[in-house]
Amino acid sequence: MSDATTTPERPRRAPRKAPRKALVIGAGIGGLTAAAALRKAGLDVEVYERAGELRAAGSGLSVMSNAIAALDSLGLGIDLAGRGQTLESYHVRTPRGRLIREFPFPEIIARIGAPSVLITRADLQQALLEAIEGIPIVTGSTATAFEWDETGADDGGVRVTFADGSEAYGDVLIGADGFHSAVRRQLVGPEDAQDSGYICWLAVVPYAHPKFAPGSVIHYWGAGRRFGLVDVGGGRVYWWGTKNMPAERSRSWKGDRTEILATYGGWADEVRHAIEVTPDDAVIAVPSQDRAFLERWGRGPVTLLGDAAHPMLTSLGQGCCMAIEDAVVLGRALAGAEDVPAALRHYEDLRRERTRGMVAASRGISTFEQSETLIRRPVRDAYFRFMPQRKLTRMLEDALTFQDVAP
């Protein structure tokens, strides 16, 4: 899951009288971080968001040390730990709560020197919005198409058309518009999502339980189902649950807490308590999906980042972290670059192997963790229980280390 060992040659730079303009499609975590990184790189930035208002749904995120280090490199002064909760312990347990393995996150985090922060998506989004104050964000703007003059007669600029007929023009276009990216669709054509065979239930609720300590992340592994409790600060917990399910049903699930409680019948008290204190309308249900890894993320003055470029399953908790890393490296690549397409290809080359490894690892671990048969379940538990500490530490430290590139 590490970056490539060789760094691609950097495109040449030259001073430019007028700042270039970057159009960022999508105001999610990746898009907002990209706006901050591109402004720091000296570009004028405009952000376009298809939603009618900036409102984050109620899920939680792990902003791991690699993403914290990436954000810190921008000098934004964001105190995420003050908005969420620093990770203090990470346990994997059986459905009844017996310990399978404690992961050495605290010692790795201390060695790296950057915390890992557990936070709600809404709180992270608000922090980024404050950090990019002054950058225009146009809501209710659904991008439908883009074009640029590949002959170079128009200085390589790109024009974006929106569903309401309006247009925007810039020097570079960043598709940060998520799993169903319109920018990606025009670049590579229609694609099928890869369903991983289970549903994810998500919620953030006020929560307290004597078996759940502050700063905790606890995963519970059963047969074809898992559950997670994550302290996101402010007396709140982010919980998630999974259950193996045919794709047709997971894509259109219309159940309620009764089904969720039945899924975790007999599980640890703290698991069932989290579900019991959750209102029905606070539960978000999403199918677990990713896509085949995309080798080419862009052409000309257009590129992708985050879920638009490399959607991944959630098992590593690195989805938003990879988007943040992408955004920071993109800003580095474009800072002062004379040749925009070359700078974008350089960014893509820098990020390809790191993200490819994360996508593959997330899918592999997800499949392993969702094991349901009587043969695979004990193998899964034994594998993690008896993995040498050195191997586990090396694997985690590799994921938690942001390999920056020179500005």
Side-chain angles (χ1 to χ4, degrees), residues 281-295:
D281 61 3
V283 178
I284 301 169
V286 293
S288 184
Q289 297 177 326
D290 63 2
R291 296 191 188 280
F293 189 77
L294 185 63
E295 294 295 332

Side-chain angles (χ1 to χ4, degrees), residues 7-329:
T7 300
E9 182 180 353
R10 188 173 181 77
R12 63 194 177 100
R13 297 177 174 185
R16 179 181 169 89
K17 292 182 179 180
R20 295 189 187 276
K21 180 190 288 186
L23 307 178
V24 178
I25 307 301
I29 304 307
L32 296 178
T33 309
L38 292 169
R39 179 165 68 179
K40 181 178 176 64
L43 284 76
D44 288 337
V45 185
E46 295 174 357
V47 180
Y48 294 85
E49 166 60 40
R50 62 176 168 252
E53 59 180 313
L54 295 178
R55 182 177 59 188
S59 63
L61 297 166
S62 300
V63 187
M64 305 304 286
S65 299
N66 52 304
I68 295 291
L71 285 170
D72 286 349
S73 73
L74 296 177
L76 301 177
I78 298 177
D79 178 22
L80 291 187
R83 298 172 184 260
Q85 170 68 50
T86 56
L87 190 157
E88 304 294 341
S89 64
Y90 190 112
H91 294 168
V92 177
R93 298 183 177 275
T94 67
R96 290 297 302 158
R98 185 168 66 89
L99 183 66
I100 295 175
R101 185 69 179 263
E102 181 173 2
F103 281 34
F105 279 104
E107 66 183 63
I108 296 171
I109 289 167
R111 187 159 54 247
I112 290 173
S116 290
V117 178
L118 316 170
I119 193 169
T120 68
R121 184 178 295 274
D123 287 343
L124 175 56
Q125 182 187 68
Q126 183 59 40
L128 291 171
L129 285 170
E130 292 172 10
I132 66 166
E133 184 178 3
I135 293 178
I137 302 177
V138 184
T139 57
S141 297
T142 301
T144 56
F146 60 85
E147 61 182 7
W148 76 93
D149 183 355
E150 298 188 53
T151 67
D154 198 23
D155 195 29
V158 60
R159 183 174 65 217
V160 181
T161 303
F162 298 94
D164 62 0
S166 63
E167 295 180 342
Y169 178 86
D171 299 288
V172 58
L173 172 64
I174 311 301
D177 45 344
F179 190 89
H180 300 289
S181 169
V183 179
R184 174 171 173 144
R185 187 164 56 248
Q186 181 169 335
L187 284 170
V188 304
E191 298 174 281
D192 292 328
Q194 294 183 146
D195 189 271
S196 53
Y198 60 91
I199 195 169
C200 296
W201 296 301
L202 318 168
V204 174
V205 292
Y207 178 88
H209 194 281
K211 292 183 179 179
F212 187 71
S216 291
V217 175
I218 308 178
H219 291 187
Y220 303 81
W221 290 352
R225 60 201 70 190
R226 292 175 287 146
F227 197 89
L229 290 171
V230 181
D231 180 9
V232 291
R236 300 164 299 170
V237 70
Y238 161 50
W239 68 256
W240 55 266
T242 67
K243 180 182 180 181
N244 287 352
M245 188 178 293
E248 296 76 16
R249 182 156 189 260
S250 67
R251 286 196 296 263
S252 59
W253 186 80
K254 300 296 183 184
D256 56 22
R257 277 190 313 148
T258 302
E259 179 178 345
I260 300 174
L261 278 167
T263 298
Y264 301 101
W267 284 45
D269 291 343
E270 61 269 25
V271 169
R272 294 183 59 79
H273 178 64
I275 303 169
E276 288 166 351
V277 300
T278 303
D280 281 338
D281 61 3
V283 178
I284 301 169
V286 293
S288 184
Q289 297 177 326
D290 63 2
R291 296 191 188 280
F293 189 77
L294 185 63
E295 294 295 332
R296 292 189 60 188
W297 299 359
R299 294 195 307 273
V302 183
T303 196
L304 305 170
L305 65 75
D307 284 350
H310 44 71
M312 63 186 67
L313 302 182
T314 59
S315 287
L316 292 179
Q318 282 283 348
C320 87
C321 301
M322 289 299 101
I324 290 169
E325 284 191 9
D326 285 351
V328 172
V329 175

